[in-house]
Amino acid sequence: MTSAIARRRARLALRYAAATIVTATFVFPIYWLFMTSFKTPEEIFASPPQWYPGSIQFQNFNVLFLDGDAIAVWNSLVTAGISTVIAMFLGTLAAYSLARFKTGGDNLAVWILSQRMMPPIAIVFPVFLLYVWLGWVDSFIGLILLYTAFNLPYVIWMMRGYIGDVPLELEESAQVDGCTRWQVLLKVVFPLVRSGLFATAVFTFVFAWNEFIFALVLTRTEIVTYPVQVTRYFGGQSNFWAKIAAMSVLGTLPIFIAVAMMQRYLVRGISMGAVKG
Amino acid sequence: MTDVTLSGIHKRFGAVHAVRGVDLAIPDGEFTVLVGPSGCGKSTLLRIIAGLEEADAGTVAIGGQVVNHLPPRERNVAMVFQNYALYPHMKVYDNIAFGLRARKVAESEIGERVKRAAGMLSIGNLLDRLPRQLSGGQRQRVAIGRAIVRDARLFLFDEPLSNLDAQLRDDMRSEIKRLHRDLSTTMIYVTHDQIEAMTLADRIVLLRDGRIEQMGAPLDLFERPATRFVAGFLGSPAMNFVPARLSADASVVEVDAAMLAVPAGRRASLAGRGASAVVLGLRPEHMRRFADGEQREGVVRLGVTIELIQPTGSRTYATFRLAGVPVVAELQAHDVNRPNERLDLGVDMNRAVLIDPATDRVL
Ligand SMILES: Nc1ncnc2c1ncn2[C@@H]1O[C@H](COP(=O)(O)OP(=O)(O)O)[C@@H](O)[C@H]1O
Ligand SMILES: [Mg+2]
């Protein structure tokens, strides 16, 4: 009996050890990134490497703000934020139409999703030429519309699933109870798909936040986004490690915050379709 | 005044012709039950009245007003759904108040009316719970509460009891009947369960394949079915149908070797057909154990061999064969004690129905 307990303990210890190694492997680069952003140049290039900076100093961040590089984070926030709001709004309505009015039958939904599978690189130059003609290169409207277009299929596909899981009887009951279609959406459908809505919004936001190809080709100076800005620090002769680290930290924070705030909904939203309540 | 008039209603779902020409006038305050086998179009008809489906043809009038083009919210009807359709994210109180809020009733009045409705259904202690914290029976009460709180002019029920177990179903049935007595609102109730239909209805509308087969007061339909389908649908255990022959003068029905005399009063209407094949319809309760010396007009003696007995306590169902088909008779508990017993039954030919096998209509 005692040996059974001992064996169980050993197995548990082994599991914890494995979990710790895996976690450390994944967390280390992020740790290193954060530490580097607080280091002085000497500490960054010290050999052997220093595990943590001698003191917390914000010089690297100061430089970003003084040089005006930090505006890239703001540009990213604007493009990702606004395109997410538009894509969620339009996408959810379209999804409702697909789910409830069977708009376009089953085929339209699949066709819409297939748009998402197009490799961006395949259309980036045609889009560039179009934008030159429209005068949208290096403008918020150009990037926001493009990200909206790219995220719409994903939003429609996800929301169509979540809305389809809301029992139709609930909507019918609300209609008989005196609601207009809009009121049904606001009072019954949206509250019931809230988790899915937030989970989808986070993924949409993250896509736009991390998007690189379009941002690289379609921005110049005015609305450079943060991923594009970071690449500018990879110089031919020397890399600005301090700036790269500080900028990357700035760029990671919004995602951290978004995910932390939405965690509750994320978990539920992702598992929602799986378990019917 | 909330009478409901349906005229010439048709509804197709693609190739399925679900409702095929229904004309129906429901007077104010009546409890009407739409009953029929699954898939006969009951729900579709109810949903057309509610405005949840649009009829392909025909008109729906509620309280004298044609409502075909009104959305559900403007018809001022309340509906109770089979799966309760409670809003899972709202407490019981908010579920019941939902329809009042949608109609912009003042909060103070809402509070009063919710309490009154909850009181009528004894769910006053559940108002703070979420639907998932309720049992099936409690959910059903909340769903009914949500309907009655609104003072709608017409109540629609779509199989509201079919998800409950037998005991609860009986309780809720009486409760719904009591509600109708107290509110005297016009109610239309859909069910596939003939016992619910019989017990609740002022009037039964029996549907089959999207058409009205027959309608009338429950006992009218039960005692004077117009077709074999109606005769077989109402009653449990169901009516027995036995192939037989009617003599030319309509004086006897011949089943196997047995000759069952037709009561003198019924012969006139049956004569003139000539000798012909008929189906004899006998309800289980139209057969009794024959007592020696009994002489009742229209009761004929029939010797049978019992094959199967099913005691229920108060009654015993005995199965025997007649003209090759199994026939169930409802006897007193101790009338028959073991299988293979020979028994003389008295068959009440006053109440037996004769059906034309070609048309399935009752003669
Ligand atoms: N939305 C729908 N789409 C396609 N067919 C339907 C739809 N609703 C009902 N039907 C069909 O119409 C017929 C009647 O359905 P219904 O009114 O629900 O029957 P009941 O309530 O009497 O069981 C059935 O054959 C059913 O399959
Ligand atoms: Mg039905």
Side-chain angles (χ1 to χ4, degrees), chain A residues 168, chain B residues 11-19 34-47 53 82 158-159 190-192 207 210:
Chain A
L168 194 55
Chain B
K11 178 71 188 177
R12 283 189 183 77
F13 296 105
V16 180
H17 199 165
V19 177
L34 307 179
V35 67
S38 172
C40 69
K42 312 178 291 289
S43 296
T44 305
L45 209 50
L46 197 72
R47 292 164 57 82
E53 303 280 1
Q82 179 169 1
D158 192 356
E159 312 227 8
V190 161
T191 181
H192 66 269
L207 291 166

mmCIF file of all heavy atoms in Angstrom, chain A residues 168, chain B residues 11-19 34-47 53 82 158-159 190-192 207 210, ligand 1:
data_model
loop_
_atom_site.group_PDB
_atom_site.id
_atom_site.type_symbol
_atom_site.label_atom_id
_atom_site.label_comp_id
_atom_site.label_asym_id
_atom_site.label_seq_id
_atom_site.Cartn_x
_atom_site.Cartn_y
_atom_site.Cartn_z
ATOM 1 N N LEU A 168 -33.730 28.070 -31.781
ATOM 2 C CA LEU A 168 -34.620 28.955 -32.536
ATOM 3 C C LEU A 168 -35.856 29.323 -31.719
ATOM 4 O O LEU A 168 -36.380 30.426 -31.811
ATOM 5 C CB LEU A 168 -35.027 28.255 -33.833
ATOM 6 C CG LEU A 168 -35.674 29.127 -34.900
ATOM 7 C CD1 LEU A 168 -34.783 30.306 -35.242
ATOM 8 C CD2 LEU A 168 -35.967 28.312 -36.137
ATOM 9 N N LYS B 11 -50.053 25.453 -46.543
ATOM 10 C CA LYS B 11 -48.643 25.725 -46.285
ATOM 11 C C LYS B 11 -47.789 24.614 -46.877
ATOM 12 O O LYS B 11 -48.049 23.435 -46.645
ATOM 13 C CB LYS B 11 -48.383 25.825 -44.773
ATOM 14 C CG LYS B 11 -46.930 26.057 -44.412
ATOM 15 C CD LYS B 11 -46.473 27.451 -44.784
ATOM 16 C CE LYS B 11 -44.980 27.624 -44.595
ATOM 17 N NZ LYS B 11 -44.527 28.968 -45.018
ATOM 18 N N ARG B 12 -46.813 25.019 -47.662
ATOM 19 C CA ARG B 12 -45.877 24.040 -48.229
ATOM 20 C C ARG B 12 -44.485 24.316 -47.704
ATOM 21 O O ARG B 12 -44.077 25.468 -47.582
ATOM 22 C CB ARG B 12 -45.845 24.163 -49.753
ATOM 23 C CG ARG B 12 -47.033 23.551 -50.442
ATOM 24 C CD ARG B 12 -46.796 23.538 -51.951
ATOM 25 N NE ARG B 12 -47.961 23.008 -52.646
ATOM 26 C CZ ARG B 12 -49.065 23.705 -52.856
ATOM 27 N NH1 ARG B 12 -49.147 24.941 -52.442
ATOM 28 N NH2 ARG B 12 -50.097 23.155 -53.484
ATOM 29 N N PHE B 13 -43.750 23.254 -47.408
ATOM 30 C CA PHE B 13 -42.307 23.369 -47.157
ATOM 31 C C PHE B 13 -41.631 22.611 -48.277
ATOM 32 O O PHE B 13 -41.536 21.392 -48.218
ATOM 33 C CB PHE B 13 -41.921 22.754 -45.813
ATOM 34 C CG PHE B 13 -42.511 23.448 -44.631
ATOM 35 C CD1 PHE B 13 -43.572 22.877 -43.950
ATOM 36 C CD2 PHE B 13 -42.015 24.660 -44.191
ATOM 37 C CE1 PHE B 13 -44.119 23.506 -42.853
ATOM 38 C CE2 PHE B 13 -42.557 25.300 -43.096
ATOM 39 C CZ PHE B 13 -43.616 24.725 -42.425
ATOM 40 N N GLY B 14 -41.201 23.306 -49.311
ATOM 41 C CA GLY B 14 -40.619 22.608 -50.448
ATOM 42 C C GLY B 14 -41.629 21.621 -51.002
ATOM 43 O O GLY B 14 -42.751 21.997 -51.357
ATOM 44 N N ALA B 15 -41.268 20.356 -51.029
ATOM 45 C CA ALA B 15 -42.161 19.351 -51.597
ATOM 46 C C ALA B 15 -43.238 18.910 -50.608
ATOM 47 O O ALA B 15 -44.211 18.276 -50.992
ATOM 48 C CB ALA B 15 -41.344 18.141 -52.047
ATOM 49 N N VAL B 16 -43.046 19.248 -49.315
ATOM 50 C CA VAL B 16 -43.999 18.786 -48.300
ATOM 51 C C VAL B 16 -45.187 19.739 -48.226
ATOM 52 O O VAL B 16 -45.028 20.918 -47.949
ATOM 53 C CB VAL B 16 -43.322 18.700 -46.912
ATOM 54 C CG1 VAL B 16 -44.318 18.226 -45.878
ATOM 55 C CG2 VAL B 16 -42.113 17.795 -46.978
ATOM 56 N N HIS B 17 -46.355 19.222 -48.481
ATOM 57 C CA HIS B 17 -47.573 20.026 -48.372
ATOM 58 C C HIS B 17 -48.123 19.823 -46.964
ATOM 59 O O HIS B 17 -48.901 18.910 -46.715
ATOM 60 C CB HIS B 17 -48.576 19.561 -49.436
ATOM 61 C CG HIS B 17 -49.645 20.571 -49.709
ATOM 62 N ND1 HIS B 17 -50.458 20.525 -50.794
ATOM 63 C CD2 HIS B 17 -50.031 21.673 -49.026
ATOM 64 C CE1 HIS B 17 -51.307 21.545 -50.782
ATOM 65 N NE2 HIS B 17 -51.066 22.244 -49.708
ATOM 66 N N ALA B 18 -47.695 20.653 -46.033
ATOM 67 C CA ALA B 18 -47.931 20.394 -44.613
ATOM 68 C C ALA B 18 -49.363 20.704 -44.187
ATOM 69 O O ALA B 18 -49.938 19.994 -43.375
ATOM 70 C CB ALA B 18 -46.946 21.196 -43.765
ATOM 71 N N VAL B 19 -49.925 21.783 -44.713
ATOM 72 C CA VAL B 19 -51.313 22.125 -44.393
ATOM 73 C C VAL B 19 -52.059 22.257 -45.710
ATOM 74 O O VAL B 19 -51.655 22.997 -46.592
ATOM 75 C CB VAL B 19 -51.390 23.445 -43.586
ATOM 76 C CG1 VAL B 19 -52.842 23.816 -43.326
ATOM 77 C CG2 VAL B 19 -50.618 23.317 -42.291
ATOM 78 N N LEU B 34 -55.941 21.058 -31.069
ATOM 79 C CA LEU B 34 -55.586 20.479 -32.358
ATOM 80 C C LEU B 34 -54.827 19.199 -32.071
ATOM 81 O O LEU B 34 -53.779 19.228 -31.443
ATOM 82 C CB LEU B 34 -54.694 21.424 -33.163
ATOM 83 C CG LEU B 34 -55.179 22.855 -33.377
ATOM 84 C CD1 LEU B 34 -54.142 23.638 -34.183
ATOM 85 C CD2 LEU B 34 -56.507 22.861 -34.086
ATOM 86 N N VAL B 35 -55.378 18.093 -32.527
ATOM 87 C CA VAL B 35 -54.747 16.825 -32.206
ATOM 88 C C VAL B 35 -54.593 16.022 -33.482
ATOM 89 O O VAL B 35 -55.326 16.227 -34.455
ATOM 90 C CB VAL B 35 -55.572 16.056 -31.129
ATOM 91 C CG1 VAL B 35 -56.908 15.612 -31.687
ATOM 92 C CG2 VAL B 35 -54.788 14.890 -30.570
ATOM 93 N N GLY B 36 -53.611 15.139 -33.471
ATOM 94 C CA GLY B 36 -53.377 14.309 -34.647
ATOM 95 C C GLY B 36 -52.018 13.676 -34.522
ATOM 96 O O GLY B 36 -51.229 14.067 -33.666
ATOM 97 N N PRO B 37 -51.730 12.706 -35.377
ATOM 98 C CA PRO B 37 -50.439 12.034 -35.276
ATOM 99 C C PRO B 37 -49.300 12.984 -35.631
ATOM 100 O O PRO B 37 -49.527 14.029 -36.233
ATOM 101 C CB PRO B 37 -50.540 10.904 -36.291
ATOM 102 C CG PRO B 37 -51.625 11.301 -37.220
ATOM 103 C CD PRO B 37 -52.559 12.178 -36.459
ATOM 104 N N SER B 38 -48.102 12.621 -35.257
ATOM 105 C CA SER B 38 -46.932 13.448 -35.512
ATOM 106 C C SER B 38 -46.794 13.724 -37.008
ATOM 107 O O SER B 38 -46.965 12.828 -37.825
ATOM 108 C CB SER B 38 -45.710 12.716 -34.974
ATOM 109 O OG SER B 38 -44.558 13.389 -35.368
ATOM 110 N N GLY B 39 -46.538 14.985 -37.355
ATOM 111 C CA GLY B 39 -46.322 15.332 -38.750
ATOM 112 C C GLY B 39 -47.580 15.698 -39.506
ATOM 113 O O GLY B 39 -47.541 15.929 -40.711
ATOM 114 N N CYS B 40 -48.727 15.794 -38.815
ATOM 115 C CA CYS B 40 -49.974 16.065 -39.530
ATOM 116 C C CYS B 40 -50.186 17.556 -39.759
ATOM 117 O O CYS B 40 -51.166 17.952 -40.376
ATOM 118 C CB CYS B 40 -51.154 15.475 -38.776
ATOM 119 S SG CYS B 40 -51.506 16.312 -37.228
ATOM 120 N N GLY B 41 -49.292 18.401 -39.226
ATOM 121 C CA GLY B 41 -49.407 19.829 -39.500
ATOM 122 C C GLY B 41 -49.954 20.660 -38.357
ATOM 123 O O GLY B 41 -50.238 21.845 -38.538
ATOM 124 N N LYS B 42 -50.056 20.073 -37.170
ATOM 125 C CA LYS B 42 -50.606 20.809 -36.019
ATOM 126 C C LYS B 42 -49.754 22.024 -35.682
ATOM 127 O O LYS B 42 -50.249 23.143 -35.576
ATOM 128 C CB LYS B 42 -50.652 19.912 -34.760
ATOM 129 C CG LYS B 42 -51.254 18.548 -34.949
ATOM 130 C CD LYS B 42 -51.194 17.740 -33.672
ATOM 131 C CE LYS B 42 -49.790 17.321 -33.261
ATOM 132 N NZ LYS B 42 -49.198 16.292 -34.119
ATOM 133 N N SER B 43 -48.439 21.775 -35.494
ATOM 134 C CA SER B 43 -47.551 22.875 -35.112
ATOM 135 C C SER B 43 -47.534 23.944 -36.186
ATOM 136 O O SER B 43 -47.553 25.137 -35.885
ATOM 137 C CB SER B 43 -46.132 22.366 -34.891
ATOM 138 O OG SER B 43 -46.104 21.482 -33.811
ATOM 139 N N THR B 44 -47.498 23.510 -37.428
ATOM 140 C CA THR B 44 -47.457 24.478 -38.524
ATOM 141 C C THR B 44 -48.679 25.387 -38.460
ATOM 142 O O THR B 44 -48.567 26.611 -38.585
ATOM 143 C CB THR B 44 -47.400 23.738 -39.868
ATOM 144 O OG1 THR B 44 -46.292 22.849 -39.847
ATOM 145 C CG2 THR B 44 -47.244 24.704 -41.009
ATOM 146 N N LEU B 45 -49.835 24.801 -38.230
ATOM 147 C CA LEU B 45 -51.066 25.586 -38.144
ATOM 148 C C LEU B 45 -50.987 26.584 -36.990
ATOM 149 O O LEU B 45 -51.328 27.760 -37.133
ATOM 150 C CB LEU B 45 -52.240 24.624 -37.946
ATOM 151 C CG LEU B 45 -53.600 25.050 -38.477
ATOM 152 C CD1 LEU B 45 -53.497 25.509 -39.918
ATOM 153 C CD2 LEU B 45 -54.580 23.892 -38.353
ATOM 154 N N LEU B 46 -50.501 26.110 -35.851
ATOM 155 C CA LEU B 46 -50.399 26.982 -34.679
ATOM 156 C C LEU B 46 -49.418 28.127 -34.949
ATOM 157 O O LEU B 46 -49.666 29.278 -34.581
ATOM 158 C CB LEU B 46 -49.930 26.156 -33.474
ATOM 159 C CG LEU B 46 -50.142 26.786 -32.110
ATOM 160 C CD1 LEU B 46 -51.610 26.760 -31.759
ATOM 161 C CD2 LEU B 46 -49.344 26.051 -31.039
ATOM 162 N N ARG B 47 -48.319 27.786 -35.613
ATOM 163 C CA ARG B 47 -47.301 28.803 -35.889
ATOM 164 C C ARG B 47 -47.798 29.810 -36.924
ATOM 165 O O ARG B 47 -47.386 30.967 -36.920
ATOM 166 C CB ARG B 47 -46.015 28.123 -36.364
ATOM 167 C CG ARG B 47 -45.345 27.303 -35.247
ATOM 168 C CD ARG B 47 -44.328 26.331 -35.795
ATOM 169 N NE ARG B 47 -43.317 27.021 -36.571
ATOM 170 C CZ ARG B 47 -42.269 27.632 -36.048
ATOM 171 N NH1 ARG B 47 -42.086 27.619 -34.747
ATOM 172 N NH2 ARG B 47 -41.400 28.247 -36.808
ATOM 173 N N GLU B 53 -44.945 31.416 -38.963
ATOM 174 C CA GLU B 53 -44.882 30.946 -40.343
ATOM 175 C C GLU B 53 -45.904 31.754 -41.125
ATOM 176 O O GLU B 53 -46.906 32.197 -40.562
ATOM 177 C CB GLU B 53 -45.265 29.457 -40.462
ATOM 178 C CG GLU B 53 -44.449 28.509 -39.646
ATOM 179 C CD GLU B 53 -43.115 28.166 -40.273
ATOM 180 O OE1 GLU B 53 -42.811 28.688 -41.363
ATOM 181 O OE2 GLU B 53 -42.373 27.396 -39.652
ATOM 182 N N GLN B 82 -42.872 23.782 -26.723
ATOM 183 C CA GLN B 82 -42.635 22.425 -26.227
ATOM 184 C C GLN B 82 -41.413 22.348 -25.314
ATOM 185 O O GLN B 82 -41.447 21.692 -24.283
ATOM 186 C CB GLN B 82 -42.448 21.482 -27.413
ATOM 187 C CG GLN B 82 -42.184 20.053 -27.003
ATOM 188 C CD GLN B 82 -42.268 19.100 -28.183
ATOM 189 O OE1 GLN B 82 -42.507 19.505 -29.312
ATOM 190 N NE2 GLN B 82 -42.073 17.835 -27.913
ATOM 191 N N ASP B 158 -47.988 24.646 -27.727
ATOM 192 C CA ASP B 158 -47.520 23.596 -28.636
ATOM 193 C C ASP B 158 -46.922 22.455 -27.827
ATOM 194 O O ASP B 158 -45.782 22.523 -27.392
ATOM 195 C CB ASP B 158 -46.494 24.148 -29.627
ATOM 196 C CG ASP B 158 -46.212 23.168 -30.758
ATOM 197 O OD1 ASP B 158 -46.760 22.041 -30.714
ATOM 198 O OD2 ASP B 158 -45.460 23.517 -31.677
ATOM 199 N N GLU B 159 -47.678 21.423 -27.643
ATOM 200 C CA GLU B 159 -47.253 20.243 -26.877
ATOM 201 C C GLU B 159 -46.524 20.621 -25.595
ATOM 202 O O GLU B 159 -45.400 20.162 -25.371
ATOM 203 C CB GLU B 159 -46.342 19.361 -27.736
ATOM 204 C CG GLU B 159 -46.929 19.107 -29.106
ATOM 205 C CD GLU B 159 -46.875 17.651 -29.519
ATOM 206 O OE1 GLU B 159 -46.526 16.813 -28.675
ATOM 207 O OE2 GLU B 159 -47.221 17.366 -30.671
ATOM 208 N N VAL B 190 -52.033 22.386 -28.913
ATOM 209 C CA VAL B 190 -51.626 21.333 -29.842
ATOM 210 C C VAL B 190 -51.076 20.145 -29.067
ATOM 211 O O VAL B 190 -50.294 20.315 -28.135
ATOM 212 C CB VAL B 190 -50.536 21.855 -30.810
ATOM 213 C CG1 VAL B 190 -49.774 20.716 -31.449
ATOM 214 C CG2 VAL B 190 -51.157 22.730 -31.875
ATOM 215 N N THR B 191 -51.502 18.967 -29.424
ATOM 216 C CA THR B 191 -50.953 17.776 -28.793
ATOM 217 C C THR B 191 -51.114 16.584 -29.731
ATOM 218 O O THR B 191 -51.950 16.596 -30.628
ATOM 219 C CB THR B 191 -51.645 17.480 -27.450
ATOM 220 O OG1 THR B 191 -51.049 16.320 -26.878
ATOM 221 C CG2 THR B 191 -53.126 17.250 -27.626
ATOM 222 N N HIS B 192 -50.298 15.573 -29.538
ATOM 223 C CA HIS B 192 -50.518 14.335 -30.280
ATOM 224 C C HIS B 192 -51.168 13.301 -29.375
ATOM 225 O O HIS B 192 -51.450 12.188 -29.779
ATOM 226 C CB HIS B 192 -49.195 13.788 -30.829
ATOM 227 C CG HIS B 192 -48.254 13.360 -29.744
ATOM 228 N ND1 HIS B 192 -47.327 14.216 -29.188
ATOM 229 C CD2 HIS B 192 -48.126 12.194 -29.098
ATOM 230 C CE1 HIS B 192 -46.667 13.578 -28.239
ATOM 231 N NE2 HIS B 192 -47.129 12.350 -28.159
ATOM 232 N N LEU B 207 -56.685 16.454 -36.823
ATOM 233 C CA LEU B 207 -56.020 16.693 -38.108
ATOM 234 C C LEU B 207 -55.378 15.410 -38.614
ATOM 235 O O LEU B 207 -54.926 14.569 -37.836
ATOM 236 C CB LEU B 207 -54.926 17.750 -37.947
ATOM 237 C CG LEU B 207 -55.396 19.176 -37.670
ATOM 238 C CD1 LEU B 207 -54.224 20.018 -37.209
ATOM 239 C CD2 LEU B 207 -56.024 19.774 -38.909
ATOM 240 N N GLY B 210 -52.532 17.179 -42.818
ATOM 241 C CA GLY B 210 -52.727 18.582 -43.178
ATOM 242 C C GLY B 210 -54.170 18.986 -43.424
ATOM 243 O O GLY B 210 -54.423 20.099 -43.881
HETATM 244 N N1 LIG C 1 -39.509 24.399 -41.303
HETATM 245 C C1 LIG C 1 -39.852 23.279 -41.969
HETATM 246 N N2 LIG C 1 -39.177 22.913 -43.075
HETATM 247 C C2 LIG C 1 -39.528 21.807 -43.760
HETATM 248 N N3 LIG C 1 -40.532 20.986 -43.423
HETATM 249 C C3 LIG C 1 -41.241 21.287 -42.337
HETATM 250 C C4 LIG C 1 -40.939 22.445 -41.545
HETATM 251 N N4 LIG C 1 -41.816 22.491 -40.523
HETATM 252 C C5 LIG C 1 -42.617 21.419 -40.660
HETATM 253 N N5 LIG C 1 -42.288 20.686 -41.748
HETATM 254 C C6 LIG C 1 -42.956 19.482 -42.223
HETATM 255 O O1 LIG C 1 -44.342 19.735 -42.277
HETATM 256 C C7 LIG C 1 -45.078 18.643 -41.791
HETATM 257 C C8 LIG C 1 -45.926 19.062 -40.611
HETATM 258 O O2 LIG C 1 -45.084 19.438 -39.559
HETATM 259 P P1 LIG C 1 -45.626 19.874 -38.143
HETATM 260 O O3 LIG C 1 -46.640 20.932 -38.320
HETATM 261 O O4 LIG C 1 -44.453 20.216 -37.308
HETATM 262 O O5 LIG C 1 -46.294 18.552 -37.627
HETATM 263 P P2 LIG C 1 -46.843 18.194 -36.177
HETATM 264 O O6 LIG C 1 -46.654 19.370 -35.288
HETATM 265 O O7 LIG C 1 -48.281 17.841 -36.409
HETATM 266 O O8 LIG C 1 -46.072 17.004 -35.735
HETATM 267 C C9 LIG C 1 -44.067 17.576 -41.434
HETATM 268 O O9 LIG C 1 -43.970 16.684 -42.519
HETATM 269 C C10 LIG C 1 -42.792 18.336 -41.273
HETATM 270 O O10 LIG C 1 -41.690 17.536 -41.602
#
